[in-house]
Amino acid sequence: NDDGTLARYPGNANQFNPMFDDLPGAYINQTNLTRLLSIAYAEWKPINGLSIRSNLGIVNGNSRNIFFEGANTIDRALSTGSIASVTNGKQLDLSWENIINYQKEFKHHQIEITAVTSYFSYKMDSSIAQGTGQLLASQAAYALQNNPSNLSIYSNYVGSNLISGAFRINYGYKGKYLLTLTGRADGSSVLAKQNRWSFFPSAAAAWRIGDEDFMKNQHLFSDLKIRASYGIAGNAAVRPYQTQSGLILIPYSWNNQSALAYGLDPQTGNPNLKWELTATTDIGLDFSLFNNRVTAGFDYYDSRTHDLLLLRSIPASSGVTNILQNIAKTRNNGIEIMLNTVNIRTKNFSWSTGFTFTHNKERIVELVGGQDDVANGWFIGYPVNSFYDYEKTGIWQTADSALAKSYGYKPGDIRVSDLD
């Protein structure tokens, strides 16, 4: 303006002046975060080959956010006054592991036994207070009681626990025949009591053919090993309390009255949620040639997942629009190939190359009802994330104006196939 003040709508008055956001105190968004990480352990070795260790880790975090947007800022230009809020949060993570390990060698045998228990706890609570129309802009997000409208408070608590136990045996004979057996059990509080625990076994074996006596007189292979494994892994990718149903208080305007009315928004949980399980078979071959100048590895894997956790869209007439369910089976299988070569190796110069090749095929094997779910874009025989759209064949041309008009299009529009 002529007097040096900022014009609210400069020029042709169709755009708010962005300079208002740069005025001191007009926009504030400050976060202070304090995080304390504490780690401690104790270890005891009572006899040769046996170790007992306990690890404890604690993460304690506190945060505070001050947020203020004045009445003369871009975001509040079309609103009624300023907005101010204060957010406080506190987080506590605790992890506790106990590990027992025993190793023993006798004659041609090597054995290692490991047992583990672990406990992980996550707790977070937060609170938010906010209002609009701060009477004194200089008070920003302080003195929130001076905001004449939309005063509100909100608080939240989230907690989850995971308890695990695992047992593993590694056995080797002459360093040539290797076997690993593992069992693991996990219990997660994010699932309902009847589905909280699951057990995950696995086994792996390997044969170092290159260490056999009949390989000593050959000079082609520097090392040769075949291996195979099978195991089950679990995934409980469920938010805390997602198995539970609840209600949320929703304020809304009613009949042009100044006082707000309140309604309840139902939150539908699914108490039947359980662990998503994936069983994987892997067969591999590792070898090196010419005194380790060429090394290569080949793997074929086949992973089959059942009780897949998917967020499924459902008719809004049910009162909710989507719900998490264990509703599908999928399969991933493929190969991985790795090749490394040392082309030149001298005292002052070396040159090596590395190649990798992977091929994976993912598809849905089974869905609820045994049919494709078009609404969610899930199709048996295709990946979970697939594109489902009209088949486009080109652009409507001027010569086809009449035909295009019969379909509701005009020249220049995308032309799609009439599949039916």
Side-chain angles (χ1 to χ4, degrees), residues 336-413:
E336 296 180 353
I337 300 174
M338 178 273 296
L339 176 65
N340 292 318
T341 63
V342 179
N343 307 310
I344 300 175
R345 181 190 294 161
T346 65
K347 182 178 180 180
N348 299 317
F349 179 77
S350 64
W351 171 32
S352 61
T353 54
F355 302 92
T356 59
F357 173 81
T358 62
H359 174 74
N360 178 74
K361 183 178 180 181
E362 177 206 354
R363 65 272 197 195
I364 296 173
V365 177
E366 183 179 311
L367 287 168
V368 175
Q371 297 180 344
D372 295 338
D373 190 335
V374 179
N376 287 281
W378 300 330
F379 304 92
I380 296 175
Y382 292 88
V384 173
N385 295 315
S386 298
F387 292 99
Y388 180 68
D389 201 354
Y390 294 104
E391 183 178 316
K392 302 173 178 65
T393 59
I395 303 296
W396 283 104
Q397 304 299 313
T398 305
D400 300 320
S401 298
L403 182 60
K405 186 177 181 180
S406 68
Y407 285 106
Y409 293 95
K410 62 182 183 299
D413 290 341

Side-chain angles (χ1 to χ4, degrees), residues 142-322:
Y142 300 97
L144 288 176
Q145 68 276 11
N146 290 335
N147 287 265
S149 58
N150 298 323
L151 279 173
S152 63
I153 57 173
Y154 171 83
S155 62
N156 186 41
Y157 170 84
V158 177
S160 65
N161 300 300
L162 177 68
I163 300 176
S164 306
F167 185 79
R168 183 183 65 194
I169 299 176
N170 284 329
Y171 172 75
Y173 179 69
K174 292 185 176 181
K176 296 184 294 185
Y177 312 105
L178 309 174
L179 176 66
T180 299
L181 300 174
T182 303
R184 178 186 177 98
D186 287 285
S188 176
S189 67
V190 299
L191 299 173
K193 285 186 177 181
Q194 69 272 18
N195 299 320
R196 195 159 285 174
W197 285 90
S198 191
F199 180 70
F200 315 107
S202 67
W207 177 24
R208 291 187 176 274
I209 305 175
D211 291 345
E212 295 288 355
D213 292 338
F214 60 80
M215 295 289 290
K216 291 182 178 179
N217 295 325
Q218 60 83 36
H219 303 286
L220 176 63
F221 290 96
S222 307
D223 187 26
L224 179 62
K225 181 176 73 173
I226 59 173
R227 47 188 166 75
S229 65
Y230 174 83
I232 298 176
N235 174 31
V238 178
R239 295 195 312 271
Y241 321 117
Q242 200 166 4
T243 61
Q244 304 175 16
S245 297
L247 296 170
I248 296 179
L249 193 67
I250 302 295
Y252 61 96
S253 299
W254 172 256
N255 200 24
N256 295 322
Q257 299 296 316
S258 58
L260 292 175
Y262 292 89
L264 295 173
D265 181 18
Q267 305 294 302
T268 303
N270 183 1
N272 298 318
L273 292 175
K274 53 187 176 180
W275 287 85
E276 173 186 298
L277 301 177
T278 300
T280 301
T281 301
D282 186 279
I283 301 174
L285 172 67
D286 300 315
F287 63 89
S288 59
L289 306 172
F290 313 119
N291 196 24
N292 295 319
R293 295 294 293 268
V294 178
T295 60
F298 173 85
D299 279 273
Y300 170 79
Y301 62 88
D302 190 350
S303 296
R304 300 171 185 247
T305 300
H306 65 276
D307 295 326
L308 184 69
L309 289 164
L310 285 176
L311 192 63
R312 184 185 184 190
S313 298
I314 57 178
S317 57
S318 64
V320 293
T321 56
N322 54 63

